[in-house]
Amino acid sequence: MATRVRRTTLTLPAAPLGPDSPLPALRAGHDPHRIEVPQDAGLPADMARQIGWAPLRSILPAPLRDGYGRARRSTDLDALVIENDRLRATVLPGLGGRVYSLHHKPSDRELLYRNPVLQPAAFALNGAWFSGGIEWNIGATGHTTLSCAPLHAARVPAPDGGEMLRLWEWERLRDLPFQVDLWLPEGSDFLHVGVRIRNPHHHTVPVYWWSNTAVPEGERTRVLAPADEAWHFGYARTLRRVPVPECDGTDRSYPLRSTYPADYFYDVPDRARRWVTSLDADGRGLVQTSTDTLRGRKLFLWGAGRAGRRWQQWLTQPGTGGYAEIQAGLARTQLEHVPLDAGGEFTWLEAYGPLATDPATVHGADWGAAREEVAARLQAALPRTDVEAAYAAWLPYADQEPKESLATGSGWGALEAARMGLDLPGTPFGPATLGAEQEPWLTLLRTGDLPAGGPVPGPVLTAPAWRDLLESAPSGPSTDYHLGLAQWQAGDRAQAVRSWERAVGHGAGCLPLYCLAVAESTAGDPARAADRYAQACAEAVRAASAPDPAARAWRVVLPALAREAVPALLAAGRTDEAAQLLADLPPADPADGRFRLLTAQVLLAQGRPAAAREIFEAGFEIAGLREGDEVLGDTWYAIAEQLVAGGGPVTEEVRAAARSAHPLPERYEYRMRPLGEQPRPAAGHRQSQR
């Protein structure tokens, strides 16, 4: 059976993504993967250079995707199927090109963890993400901003004469085009994936890539890689070298033998074949291998503790099996970014397929023997030389022009192609993909002037070339607001503040006031930040009440502003104002737990812990709870401490008594490290951001 690509529809219970946040994403966001690395940590030289290089100052120009909830309904999703006589791969082009399913026909086995629901959660750099399948992560440390975004897709000739599915897009955090080519050679048990990242700029660019594969989790599931050591990252923000497989008295190659979530970045020797596999009790499962450019391998596990189990339920359908992730990346760890020279490109080939091994050997006590068993079975199923040959055969096809469009991504690549005069063979970013989001910026490019009526609120561009165009454009509300965003992203905070103040003077409304509030907060002035937040909220109320059609756009801004303004007012000691702001908001969606939590925090600040406790006891959910966020547990214990203290001081004895008398209910347990364990900064450290 020759490889073919076809369309289909996948129907799943799905929570709608909803609208993006109307506020510009000025902050890098809650970052559970920031680490403190002692200078004497013994890092390899290249790792030491790449950890902490070029961290994001914010996720601009990407929007924050936080408009989803947890109410799911049956939803039809466009899907593309690649199939030969051995494998069937199902891809979701509208959701980051995720490989949702990889089905092995001869054994009738699903090789991936196939999530029975589509439930967004706040794990991507910009929010919405979902678990399961194989995802392609590009941009910066973390899950890509394209996790829930459409990619371009098309049929392309494959090296063996069949068809390939090509996915491509313009990644906006680093302004890089990339492509993912998927095909199934005739008679092959392995999905072949060719990846290319190009740097069309005249300067070196930091690159991040990890291919993340969700695999079914089980009591006897074991993850193996060709390494005797790994770099362990836990959520106390430390990175340490540990032995593999046994660490701290436990065999960590079995994901359910750990208590808390953790990353293990395997230290694969330089000349060793790159592979990672997850095998069940019968020694069967999925193996991933690649050419050597994709050097890193990793295990992510949720662990068997209460928080890990709770996260698993949160991300999928309660009562279904959980998952772990086996991953492959350009660097040793996900805390690094790799330099790509001007005009250069990274290319490699990956292969995914079934593996059957002797269970007694792979689950035996001899780690070396288990690895050798996997390596021998992989070599028999897919020799290393075959992977190299497939890569060499694919490279000439990377520039093949698409035969038939199957899905359309964004217009941002077309806009950049127009600005730079780019010709990118194989990944066309044609003018037909330009849309309403790009129109104001196309006007700026062609006329030198950004339209006064927009885009506020709306999409932003912050790259240096666009900053130059904004600096040359006539001053005005929209131009000065967007210029401030570009200056902020470049690290020129003082100039950004000046631009936003000019925008306020031009009557640009609440968004530059919000930006000024963030700037004051970042500068460590909570009183001035609270003033700015209050002004921004007042301006949003005025704009939303105006008797014109534009008022509708501002009505969604006020709740988003309030979610940030209330904590800022509380931090400045302006509790009554925070309470009044919440009271004056239009009725919130009862399912939006963000406002229930804010109400509890206001009541706590007012000295009413019993009333705050009632909100928790009534129950609520925060759909956009971020990975590693401990706000629910922290607020619960702060309430408990006030209840135990009874108006007196909160001492260490009171804290201990509160934790003993008021344990955190399971429904609010999302802590990814032991209670009381804090990040441990070291003297003479170097900071890294994920």
Side-chain angles (χ1 to χ4, degrees):
M1 174 183 176
T3 301
R4 58 194 178 98
V5 178
R6 60 182 171 87
R7 301 174 188 266
T8 190
T9 299
L10 186 67
T11 302
L12 288 176
L17 287 171
D20 294 341
S21 172
L23 304 180
L26 295 178
R27 306 178 194 269
H30 173 74
D31 183 9
H33 298 93
R34 190 175 74 250
I35 65 168
E36 310 292 345
V37 183
Q39 290 180 342
D40 61 355
L43 302 183
D46 58 340
M47 185 189 296
R49 286 192 302 270
Q50 291 169 181
I51 285 183
W53 178 51
L56 294 180
R57 294 187 175 95
S58 76
I59 62 166
L60 290 172
L64 182 63
R65 311 206 71 180
D66 65 351
Y68 54 87
R70 291 189 57 80
R72 297 190 285 264
R73 60 174 181 260
S74 182
T75 303
D76 290 339
L77 303 172
D78 291 334
L80 301 170
V81 172
I82 319 161
E83 191 167 14
N84 68 1
D85 56 344
R86 311 286 293 177
L87 281 174
R88 181 172 60 250
T90 304
V91 179
L92 302 177
L95 293 166
R98 184 78 58 96
V99 180
Y100 175 76
S101 168
L102 187 59
H103 182 80
H104 186 235
K105 296 179 181 180
S107 62
D108 194 27
R109 289 170 62 89
E110 173 60 49
L111 301 180
L112 307 176
Y113 171 75
R114 187 175 58 189
N115 199 332
V117 302
L118 200 162
Q119 176 56 62
F123 277 60
L125 287 164
N126 63 335
W129 170 88
F130 64 102
S131 64
I134 307 171
E135 57 175 314
W136 319 111
N137 288 296
I138 183 173
T141 302
H143 295 280
T144 177
T145 60
L146 298 169
S147 292
C148 290
L151 304 189
H152 300 282
R155 282 191 179 91
V156 182
D160 63 352
E163 291 183 331
M164 285 195 301
L165 171 61
R166 174 163 298 162
L167 306 166
W168 74 98
E169 232 327 338
W170 188 276
E171 199 285 315
R172 300 182 69 203
L173 294 183
R174 304 298 192 186
D175 273 327
L176 295 176
F178 72 97
Q179 72 188 73
V180 179
D181 288 353
L182 303 100
W183 79 101
L184 293 165
E186 187 172 355
S188 176
D189 280 322
F190 283 82
L191 173 67
H192 287 47
V193 182
V195 183
R196 176 166 63 171
I197 303 170
R198 289 187 271 195
N199 178 7
H201 305 290
H202 298 294
H203 57 271
T204 300
V205 175
V207 172
Y208 172 91
W209 180 282
W210 281 79
S211 304
N212 291 9
T213 304
V215 290
E217 177 191 68
E219 290 292 339
R220 291 280 292 164
T221 296
R222 193 178 205 190
V223 172
L224 300 95
D228 291 314
E229 291 184 308
W231 294 93
H232 168 267
F233 172 82
Y235 286 77
R237 297 176 185 165
T238 58
L239 188 68
R240 61 189 178 107
R241 192 192 292 269
V242 299
V244 174
E246 188 168 303
C247 173
D248 300 327
T250 301
D251 188 337
R252 307 293 177 176
S253 64
Y254 291 91
L256 285 175
R257 293 186 185 178
S258 293
T259 302
Y260 288 95
D263 296 334
Y264 290 90
F265 300 102
Y266 295 111
D267 196 0
V268 180
D270 284 343
R271 284 174 291 279
R273 184 176 185 181
R274 266 77 177 137
W275 56 263
V276 63
T277 186
S278 174
L279 302 173
D280 64 15
D282 297 324
R284 302 166 70 186
L286 173 82
V287 66
Q288 187 271 0
T289 188
S290 72
T291 50
D292 289 352
T293 296
L294 202 66
R295 67 179 302 183
R297 293 298 185 275
K298 172 192 158 184
L299 161 65
F300 168 75
L301 56 87
W302 283 109
R306 216 167 57 138
R309 297 300 93 197
R310 180 65 181 144
W311 275 116
Q312 295 265 31
Q313 295 170 11
W314 185 254
L315 297 171
T316 184
Q317 182 70 38
T320 59
Y323 72 97
E325 287 186 1
I326 55 175
Q327 306 180 10
L330 283 174
R332 283 187 179 92
T333 73
Q334 289 174 328
L335 309 171
E336 304 168 64
H337 297 92
V338 180
L340 178 56
D341 293 338
E345 64 181 34
F346 287 136
T347 58
W348 65 89
L349 184 117
E350 305 180 43
Y352 297 81
L355 194 68
T357 64
D358 173 38
T361 304
V362 297
H363 291 291
D366 188 331
W367 175 249
R371 285 173 36 197
E372 289 174 6
E373 166 70 7
V374 171
R377 299 287 184 140
L378 174 59
Q379 180 66 14
L382 184 66
R384 188 176 188 177
T385 54
D386 286 6
V387 175
E388 296 291 344
Y391 170 66
W394 165 72
L395 277 177
Y397 286 79
D399 283 348
Q400 285 280 334
E401 292 302 321
K403 293 195 306 181
E404 176 192 353
S405 176
L406 299 172
T408 303
S410 78
W412 297 113
L415 183 66
E416 293 301 328
R419 182 184 63 79
M420 300 171 69
L422 289 179
D423 178 22
L424 296 169
T427 55
F429 294 99
T433 63
L434 291 166
E437 290 187 322
Q438 291 79 41
E439 189 60 37
W441 300 100
L442 201 59
T443 300
L444 173 64
L445 183 63
R446 291 170 174 170
T447 69
D449 192 5
L450 193 66
V456 182
V460 305
L461 285 169
T462 57
W466 292 102
R467 184 177 72 241
D468 292 345
L469 288 169
L470 289 165
E471 286 174 343
S472 301
S475 179
S478 181
T479 299
D480 290 326
Y481 165 68
H482 283 279
L483 176 58
L485 296 178
Q487 291 164 333
W488 178 268
Q489 180 69 352
D492 194 346
R493 304 300 172 85
Q495 288 291 353
V497 167
R498 294 187 187 99
S499 294
W500 290 327
E501 287 174 340
R502 287 198 305 273
V504 170
H506 286 305
C510 64
L511 291 185
L513 286 167
Y514 163 75
C515 295
L516 291 168
V518 173
E520 298 289 4
S521 177
T522 303
D525 193 334
R528 288 177 62 87
D531 287 340
R532 291 294 198 183
Y533 273 115
Q535 293 169 12
C537 289
E539 178 60 25
V541 169
R542 186 200 64 76
S545 304
D548 62 71
R552 186 173 185 178
W554 297 103
R555 287 174 194 144
V556 297
V557 176
L558 182 56
L561 266 176
R563 290 195 294 269
E564 294 198 33
V566 168
L569 291 168
L570 292 178
R574 294 159 65 167
T575 305
D576 290 342
E577 286 182 64
Q580 192 61 51
L581 176 58
L582 279 179
D584 290 344
L585 286 175
D589 179 353
D592 192 340
R594 293 173 292 190
F595 291 101
R596 303 299 295 151
L597 176 63
L598 288 174
T599 300
Q601 291 171 334
V602 167
L603 291 169
L604 182 64
Q606 291 175 326
R608 301 169 61 192
R613 174 67 173 261
E614 289 177 2
I615 290 176
F616 274 80
E617 290 175 345
F620 62 89
E621 291 182 330
I622 298 178
L625 189 69
R626 290 201 64 88
E627 175 189 8
D629 197 338
E630 299 172 354
V631 63
L632 291 174
D634 289 347
T635 305
W636 170 271
Y637 285 120
I639 293 168
E641 289 162 6
Q642 282 202 17
L643 290 172
V644 171
V650 177
T651 63
E652 286 302 319
E653 290 77 11
V654 167
R655 290 192 176 93
R659 291 176 181 176
S660 176
H662 303 278
L664 183 66
E666 184 174 356
R667 68 179 301 171
Y668 302 120
E669 179 60 271
Y670 295 95
R671 186 177 295 269
M672 301 177 82
R673 59 188 180 187
L675 181 62
E677 183 181 81
Q678 298 299 321
R680 295 188 290 272
H685 70 273
R686 191 169 45 252
Q687 190 177 71
S688 170
Q689 296 253 346
R690 176 174 178 179

